[in-house]
């Protein structure tokens, strides 16, 4: 493997006494699509900001394109396109003005930007809103504009912090499609998300973070293999009875998770287990057998569900 | 359902709950509010009262200020203007925040609390801040020997009343503002600032050319200042003018509430 | 290799390349676009404040005060305050732009976050914003002079120098403002700025000669930048250029150097939290 594009060792960020990112190590290879997964407050956005050379680390090392962001911030950022978790569009400007001036920040020529704007407006489906002030856009439109803006400089690395929050399903799929195509062109993607389907679709490799630490690392498939069983049986008995029945269920398989509304049972063969439960006349009100997903990995590692 | 929530209770005390929320938000600013409340009168008295006062005295003695020292002349005006500034702070920002910036009023309105109750709650909280400011200011004036306790205690309620009337109208007007891009800048520069400077604050209104005097007539600050002067050092004011000043402020108060109640209701139900 | 990368790499070995990409122009370009589409109202109304003070204090107070002795001259009160008001408005504008304005764009609108996600460095943003504020101060100073001259408040030709002097004063205050803002995290802390600015204005000799005060207070006032700013503008306004003028200029030169040094050092703490 050639030298990694991004490489962090013992990366730490403290705010006062509070450690937001706690000595993490990771590498991202060129052309790879790398995901950061974790519950609220895990330290994902903080890590993203350090990679993007917009936040100073407290200790540890990190290189992006072989350079230290403390020393070469502007040079590194010239390669990046950043979609922050919270839109930070220029509310005093219109849609096209936002795209235009962002290109100017990168030093791109006016001519180049003008052509680029047309392409980006189409991608973001904002042609009709081109001369509208940003304040007057809907939440999803603002999000699409923020994403389009990150592409104006044709970046080598695209940093996406929860890119699809607030997007409708159609816009999400358009974005995924676009990201796939960028990846084919050799663009490296760094993504955080709360959507498991998104992580499974988009990420070649991901890390699960919790409380500033990396809990696990691998491809979605590897993670599922390592941290979950093949299948999951979900049963509901009604919120009062779940607690009462849980001990019985625990004895029937290697691991169960009690959630407020349902119980998850981890097994290799879900149907067989369900049969067994029905034979015992436990009568769940609903039941479902499904394949393990990243959601289960996440639950195992952090003790939390992703989407509350 | 028995959840301890009493709709009738909220119905009758809604405004109090809103005021409580506002006051606890204000308490985050307590040190700033306290320093302003004490520092403001100190600075103005030493700078304008004494500094400019020396110049006035050298030139025209007390003839331009109706026979009293310059500092005595401006003290009630400075008090009135501090009260009105405090009222502006606590009327404009919360309403902007409530409807536009953080949309707090919509959250409140999704409980049984009504629009007019929210307006009243904001008003009550603003009045509390005004009262605090006025009392601190007055105490500094007493300490400086600019006013005497026996003669001037009634300035306090009168000034609070005037600033309250101003708060009411600002609550009403701000609630109407949809686009806040320049509202505050324009209001400050084109309304508040001229009002501060041309309301007979630093010099008698009638020493200005007649065509500028109407700025004072429609300015709550002028009416408040005239009353303040009357009550603090016996500035001569006819019974008619006394009535006019009170009536103007009362009209502002009532008009402000009428506007606020209507606008709050419409805006929250839309 | 895209243009952006080439531009950034070309500077990679210059001093300060960590925080400066040499492109503050882009920030000014942004301000110009914003001016066209939205910020012209607050900017256009910005110059009324000193004019209102001039009218109120000049014509209203003028009646009560009459003339003021300044050195060996006796001058009309309105003429006395005009240069002070020009200096004060330059000071206030610069303080506002480098503190509240910066704080807002940093924490509320997150505008700077967006700018700093590009090759621009914190120094580009700081310089761009300061230069823009100085442009604004320049136009206010010109407008003020254009109003004061026909009113007969400008006794000397050297008063034209009040325009660069105002910009100079603004630069002094702005260079410090951002450094101060970098220490503040909450709106409440920012509120303290307003409390400091008020005595800076009231006790600087803009509305009355500070000789009315006892010597010790006079001495304290003479340490404050606002007094030097006002005296500087007053000197050029009345054509009283002497060693005092030089002192005021030196005061601001030192202030600008210290302010820029401190601001540059604090920029990463301010912008890259
Ligand atoms: N500027 C800051 N000052 C103080 N603490 C901060 C700051 N930014 C982040 N934190 C803290 O650092 C921790 C990690 O925050 P971060 O934004 O990185 O989380 P995240 O993983 O992105 O969470 P989310 O899924 O909610 O976006 C949180 O506990 C947060 O409160
Ligand atoms: Mg985050």
């Amino acid at each position: 493997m050639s030298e990694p594009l991004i490489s962090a060792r013992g990366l730490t960020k403290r705010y006062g006494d509070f450690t937001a990112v706690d000595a993490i190590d990771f590498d991202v290879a060129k052309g790879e699509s790398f995901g950061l997964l974790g519950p609220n407050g895990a330290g994902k956005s903080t890590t993203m900001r350090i990679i993007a050379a917009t936040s100073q680390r407290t200790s540890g090392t990190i290189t992006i394109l072989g350079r230290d962001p403390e020393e070469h911030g502007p040079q590194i950022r010239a390669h990046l396109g950043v979609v922050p978790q919270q839109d930070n569009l220029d509310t005093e400007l219109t849609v096209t003005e936002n795209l235009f001036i962002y290109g100017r920040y990168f030093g791109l020529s006016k001519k180049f930007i003008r052509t680029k704007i047309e392409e980006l407006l189409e991608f973001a489906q904002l042609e009709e809103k081109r001369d509208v002030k940003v304040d007057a856009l809907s939440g999803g439109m603002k999000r699409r504009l923020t994403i389009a803006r990150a592409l104006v400089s044709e970046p080598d690395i695209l940093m996406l912090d929860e890119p699809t929050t607030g997007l409708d399903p159609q816009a999400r799929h358009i974005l995924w499609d676009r990201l796939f195509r960028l990846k084919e062109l050799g663009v490296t993607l760094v993504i955080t998300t709360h959507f498991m389907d998104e992580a499974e679709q988009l990420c070649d490799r991901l890390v699960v973070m919790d409380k500033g630490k990396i809990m696990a690392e691998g491809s979605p498939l590897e993670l599922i293999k390592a941290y979950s069983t093949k299948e999951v049986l979900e049963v509901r008995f009604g919120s009062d009875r779940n607690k009462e029945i849980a001990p019985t269920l625990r004895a029937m398989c290697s691991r169960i998770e009690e959630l407020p509304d349902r119980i998850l049972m981890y097994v290799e063969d879900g149907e067989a287990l369900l049969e067994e439960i029905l034979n015992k006349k436990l009568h769940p009100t609903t039941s479902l057998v499904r394949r393990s997903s990243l959601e289960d990995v996440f639950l195992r590692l952090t003790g939390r569900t992703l989407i509350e | 359902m028995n959840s301890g929530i009493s709709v009738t209770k909220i119905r009758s005390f809604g405004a109090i709950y809103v005021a409580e929320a506002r006051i606890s938000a204000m308490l985050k600013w307590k040190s700033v509010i306290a320093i302003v409340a004490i520092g403001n009168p100190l600075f103005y008295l030493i700078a304008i009262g004494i500094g400019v006062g020396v110049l006035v005295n050298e030139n025209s003695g007390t003839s331009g200020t109706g026979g009293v020292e310059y500092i005595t002349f401006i003290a009630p005006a400075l008090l009135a203007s501090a009260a009105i500034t405090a009222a502006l702070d606590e009327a404009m920002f919360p309403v902007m925040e409530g409807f536009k910036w953080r949309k707090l009023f919509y959250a409140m309105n999704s409980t049984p609390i009504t629009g007019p109750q929210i307006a009243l709650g904001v008003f009550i909280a603003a009045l509390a801040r005004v009262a605090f400011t006025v009392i601190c200011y007055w105490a500094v004036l007493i300490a400086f020997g600019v006013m005497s306790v026996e003669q001037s205690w009634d300035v306090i309620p009168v000034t609070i009343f005037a600033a309250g009337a101003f708060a009411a109208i600002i609550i009403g007007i701000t609630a109407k503002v949809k686009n806040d891009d320049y509202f505050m800048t324009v209001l400050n520069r084109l309304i508040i600032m001229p009002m501060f400077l041309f309301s007979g604050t630093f010099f008698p209104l009638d020493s200005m050319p007649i065509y500028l005097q109407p700025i004072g007539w429609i300015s709550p600050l002028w009416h408040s200042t005239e009353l303040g002067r009357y009550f603090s050092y016996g500035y001569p004011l006819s019974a008619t003018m006394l009535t006019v000043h009170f009536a103007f402020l009362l009209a502002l108060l009532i008009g402000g509430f009428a506007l606020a109640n209507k606008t709050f209701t419409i805006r929250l139900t839309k | 290799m895209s243009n952006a990368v080439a531009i950034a790499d070309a500077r990679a070995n210059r001093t300060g390349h960590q925080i400066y990409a040499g492109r503050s122009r882009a920030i000014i370009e942004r301000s110009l676009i914003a001016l066209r589409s939205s910020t012209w109202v607050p900017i256009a109304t910005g110059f009324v404040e000193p004019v209102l003070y001039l009218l109120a204090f000049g014509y209203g107070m003028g009646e009560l005060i009459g003339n003021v002795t300044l050195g060996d001259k006796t001058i009309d009160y309105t003429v006395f305050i005009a240069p002070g008001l020009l200096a004060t408005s330059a000071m206030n504008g610069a303080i506002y732009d480098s503190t509240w304005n910066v704080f807002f764009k940093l924490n509320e609108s997150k505008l700077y976050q967006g700018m700093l996600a590009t090759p621009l460095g914190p120094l580009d943003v700081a310089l761009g914003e300061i230069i823009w504020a100085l442009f604004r101060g320049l136009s206010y100073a010109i407008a003020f002079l254009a109003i004061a001259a026909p009113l007969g408040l400008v006794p000397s030709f050297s008063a034209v120098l009040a325009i660069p002097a105002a910009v100079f004063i603004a630069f002094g205050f702005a260079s410090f403002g951002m450094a101060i803002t970098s220490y503040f995290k909450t709106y409440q802390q920012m509120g303290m700025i307003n409390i400091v600015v008020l005595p800076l204005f009231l006790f600087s000799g803009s509305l009355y000669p500070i000789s009315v005060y006892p010597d010790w207070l006079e001495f304290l006032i003479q340490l404050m930048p606002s007094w030097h700013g006002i005296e500087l503008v007053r000197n050029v306004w009345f054509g009283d250029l002497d060693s005092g003028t030089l002192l005021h200029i030196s005061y601001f030169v030192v202030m600008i150097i210290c302010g820029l040094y401190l601001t540059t050092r604090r920029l990463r703490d301010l912008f890259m939290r």
Side-chain angles (χ1 to χ4, degrees):
Chain A
M1 186 172 128
S2 62
E3 183 163 317
L5 205 62
I6 305 171
S7 173
R9 292 292 173 267
L11 185 66
T12 302
K13 172 79 184 182
R14 275 195 272 287
Y15 293 107
D17 294 336
F18 178 78
T19 308
V21 175
D22 195 354
I24 61 172
D25 302 340
F26 62 85
D27 290 308
V28 181
K30 185 165 164 34
E32 189 179 26
S33 157
F34 180 78
L36 291 163
L37 230 63
N40 293 135
K44 306 179 296 290
S45 299
T46 309
T47 309
M48 294 289 270
R49 281 203 303 276
I50 298 173
I51 300 175
T54 52
S55 175
Q56 293 178 282
R57 63 182 183 269
T58 312
S59 63
T61 60
I62 182 164
T63 57
I64 297 112
L65 298 147
R67 287 158 156 170
D68 180 344
E70 302 275 283
E71 266 307 302
H72 296 282
Q75 291 80 34
I76 291 170
R77 292 196 297 271
H79 290 270
L80 302 184
V82 177
V83 177
Q85 183 171 358
Q86 271 185 333
D87 295 325
N88 54 13
L89 295 163
D90 195 328
T91 49
E92 284 171 353
L93 306 184
T94 65
V95 169
T96 32
E97 285 169 344
N98 259 281
L99 295 171
F100 178 79
I101 198 63
Y102 210 70
R104 297 295 289 163
Y105 294 158
F106 279 89
L108 305 172
S109 78
K110 294 181 184 175
K111 191 162 153 262
F112 172 85
I113 301 172
R114 289 216 179 88
T115 339
K116 193 80 194 168
I117 284 177
E118 298 310 316
E119 180 195 318
L120 292 173
L121 284 176
E122 194 204 326
F123 156 65
Q125 298 168 287
L126 288 172
E127 289 112 321
E128 277 147 47
K129 301 278 179 183
R130 56 187 308 144
D131 294 320
V132 166
K133 280 263 200 81
V134 163
D135 254 344
L137 297 182
S138 78
M141 290 175 183
K142 283 185 194 155
R143 200 67 190 146
R144 293 190 323 238
L145 180 57
T146 307
I147 297 167
R149 191 182 67 169
L151 297 173
V152 79
S153 60
E154 304 188 336
D156 301 323
I157 305 176
L158 196 54
M159 312 278 308
L160 303 141
D161 197 346
E162 297 182 26
T164 58
T165 348
L167 294 189
D168 62 33
Q170 191 209 358
R172 262 178 102 195
H173 283 284
I174 292 177
L175 178 66
W176 287 357
D177 173 58
R178 174 75 182 216
L179 294 178
F180 274 127
R181 277 192 278 155
L182 287 172
K183 217 180 135 221
E184 277 167 11
L185 295 173
V187 175
T188 308
L189 306 176
V190 182
I191 305 168
T192 80
T193 179
H194 282 156
F195 299 110
M196 287 300 125
D197 53 343
E198 191 162 290
E200 277 171 48
Q201 286 257 355
L202 291 178
C203 300
D204 301 329
R205 206 161 54 81
L206 41 91
V207 294
V208 178
M209 286 185 79
D210 192 22
K211 300 189 180 115
K213 291 202 168 67
I214 290 181
M215 314 292 289
E217 181 186 335
S219 70
L221 221 62
E222 284 167 4
L223 285 171
I224 292 169
K225 269 215 178 94
Y227 295 96
S228 192
T229 50
K230 192 161 153 247
E231 293 189 336
V232 186
L233 170 63
E234 297 194 2
V235 280
R236 283 189 165 87
F237 294 92
S239 47
D240 297 333
R241 277 184 70 213
N242 277 349
K243 211 176 197 72
E244 190 182 308
I245 293 175
T248 325
L249 299 182
R250 185 160 315 198
M252 297 171 71
C253 65
S254 54
R255 188 166 78 89
I256 73 164
E257 289 281 352
E258 282 178 71
L259 301 182
D261 61 330
R262 66 211 139 110
I263 296 175
L264 307 184
M265 306 181 68
Y266 291 90
V267 281
E268 289 306 303
D269 186 347
E271 289 296 345
L273 181 64
L274 181 58
E275 195 88 347
E276 209 180 311
I277 290 175
L278 292 175
N279 286 342
K280 286 198 174 180
K281 306 240 169 343
L282 288 173
H283 301 302
T285 46
T286 64
S287 63
L288 166 77
V289 176
R290 59 168 176 84
R291 298 180 69 85
S292 268
S293 71
L294 278 176
E295 180 84 42
D296 301 294
V297 174
F298 195 82
L299 190 60
R300 168 88 184 269
L301 290 169
T302 68
R304 267 171 277 188
T305 48
L306 257 185
I307 300 155
E308 279 91 18
Chain B
M1 219 165 86
N2 180 13
S3 56
I5 298 172
S6 152
V7 173
T8 33
K9 210 164 149 194
I10 295 181
R11 277 257 175 264
S12 30
F13 293 107
I16 303 290
Y17 298 149
V18 175
E20 261 175 44
R22 277 297 312 141
I23 289 174
S24 64
M26 252 183 241
L27 285 179
K28 290 189 198 138
W29 290 83
K30 56 180 179 292
S31 36
V32 175
I33 290 177
I35 295 177
V36 169
I38 306 288
N40 217 336
L42 277 182
F43 295 150
Y44 271 103
L45 281 180
I46 299 176
I48 311 284
I50 298 178
V52 176
V54 169
L55 298 183
V56 173
N57 197 43
E58 272 171 6
N59 180 61
S60 53
T62 58
S63 63
T65 49
V68 294
E69 289 287 333
Y70 186 64
I71 199 166
T72 312
F73 173 77
I74 61 160
L78 293 177
L79 176 68
S81 122
I84 278 180
T85 310
L88 180 69
D89 266 4
E90 301 305 341
M92 189 168 64
F93 287 103
V95 175
M96 268 306 184
E97 192 171 43
F99 280 120
K100 178 107 202 211
W101 300 336
R102 315 229 190 271
K103 310 227 183 293
L104 299 175
F105 291 168
Y106 294 95
M108 292 178 179
N109 193 227
S110 63
T111 71
I113 298 177
T114 64
Q117 283 179 325
I118 298 176
L120 181 61
V122 171
F123 174 81
I124 293 172
L127 218 54
R129 161 86 191 273
V130 167
F132 176 75
T133 303
V134 168
I135 290 169
C136 289
Y137 215 116
W138 183 77
V140 173
L141 293 173
I142 296 294
F144 266 68
V146 179
M147 291 181 183
S148 75
V149 179
E150 313 81 62
Q151 201 187 0
S152 74
W153 63 268
D154 39 9
V155 173
I156 297 177
V158 171
T159 310
I160 295 176
F161 164 70
F166 183 71
I169 195 77
I170 290 290
I171 292 173
I173 292 172
T174 311
K176 274 190 115 50
V177 176
K178 298 260 158 59
N179 179 351
D180 66 320
D181 283 0
Y182 330 112
F183 170 67
M184 285 193 292
T185 324
V186 171
L187 182 81
N188 260 318
R189 287 177 179 161
L190 301 185
I191 311 265
I192 304 295
M193 180 61 70
M195 176 177 96
F196 176 61
L197 291 171
F198 297 98
S199 292
T201 321
F202 298 102
F203 45 86
L205 188 66
D206 50 24
S207 70
M208 280 199 311
I210 182 72
Y211 54 86
L212 285 180
Q213 291 185 24
I215 302 181
W217 301 339
I218 56 163
S219 150
L221 179 58
W222 180 63
H223 296 279
S224 177
T225 299
E226 291 288 289
L227 289 173
R229 285 183 179 138
Y230 174 79
F231 285 106
S232 69
Y233 66 82
Y235 168 78
L237 214 51
S238 68
T240 323
M241 280 319 284
L242 208 56
T243 319
V244 166
H245 294 314
F246 273 116
F248 180 90
L249 294 170
L250 192 65
L252 211 57
L253 185 73
I254 296 170
F257 266 104
L259 182 63
N261 288 349
K262 192 170 135 226
T263 321
F264 269 62
T265 310
I266 292 175
R267 206 159 165 189
L268 286 171
T269 48
K270 204 161 38 186
Chain C
M1 195 184 269
S2 86
N3 202 351
V5 173
I7 293 174
D9 281 347
R11 293 190 61 91
N13 294 316
R14 302 218 202 158
T15 26
H17 68 267
Q18 302 92 330
I19 54 167
Y20 185 53
R23 314 204 54 260
S24 9
R25 259 169 298 130
I27 307 291
I28 294 168
E29 199 177 331
R30 185 253 158 211
S31 296
L32 282 169
I33 299 177
L35 176 67
R36 194 180 55 207
S37 61
S38 57
T39 55
W40 63 272
V41 178
I43 289 185
T45 54
F47 86 103
V48 299
E49 187 172 316
V51 175
L52 288 177
Y53 263 93
L54 185 69
L55 297 179
F57 270 79
Y59 296 101
M61 292 303 293
E63 201 144 312
L64 291 179
I65 292 177
N67 293 331
V68 176
T69 22
L70 191 70
D72 48 6
K73 273 186 286 213
T74 301
I75 45 175
D76 184 68
Y77 183 65
T78 316
V79 179
F80 170 77
I81 60 168
L85 292 175
L86 176 56
T88 312
S89 91
M91 170 185 94
N92 283 339
I95 293 176
Y96 178 81
D97 277 334
S98 60
T99 59
W100 276 105
N101 184 36
V102 168
F103 191 79
F104 183 82
K105 287 180 176 171
L106 200 63
N107 294 291
E108 202 65 32
S109 73
K110 312 261 181 209
L111 180 67
Y112 294 151
Q113 258 191 21
M115 292 176 173
L116 291 164
T118 72
L120 295 175
L123 188 56
D124 296 279
V125 176
L127 275 184
E129 290 284 87
I130 290 179
I131 293 170
W132 176 249
L134 295 185
F135 268 128
R136 214 159 103 180
L138 176 73
S139 45
Y140 290 169
I142 294 173
F144 186 84
L145 214 65
I147 289 172
L151 293 175
L153 305 176
V154 183
S156 147
F157 264 116
S158 62
V160 181
L161 293 176
I163 296 170
V167 176
F168 188 55
I169 293 164
F171 195 18
F173 282 96
S175 69
F176 255 101
M178 286 195 194
I180 291 167
T181 308
S182 75
Y183 291 99
F184 293 164
K185 303 264 176 329
T186 65
Y187 278 93
Q188 283 77 5
Q189 291 166 335
M190 293 298 292
M192 295 293 173
I193 290 179
N194 299 4
I195 300 170
V196 175
V197 171
L198 183 64
L200 226 45
F201 165 57
L202 287 177
F203 295 111
S204 52
S206 52
L207 297 178
Y208 51 91
I210 56 170
S211 54
V212 302
Y213 287 129
D215 287 350
W216 63 269
L217 188 53
E218 208 180 325
F219 175 75
L220 282 184
I221 291 173
Q222 288 176 346
L223 297 178
M224 301 200 312
S226 44
W227 180 76
H228 287 276
I230 286 164
E231 284 302 304
L232 175 59
V233 177
R234 216 167 251 158
N235 282 172
V236 299
W237 197 268
F238 296 111
D240 297 333
L241 305 171
D242 55 22
S243 57
T245 318
L246 218 56
L247 172 74
H248 305 315
I249 293 176
S250 325
Y251 186 100
F252 273 94
V253 169
V254 173
M255 184 170 170
I256 289 170
I257 292 172
C258 294
L260 282 184
Y261 173 74
L262 194 63
T263 292
T264 314
R265 278 197 41 180
R266 295 287 306 168
L267 277 179
R268 286 210 220 182
D269 291 294
L270 178 63
F271 290 119
M272 310 213 142
R273 286 176 177 170

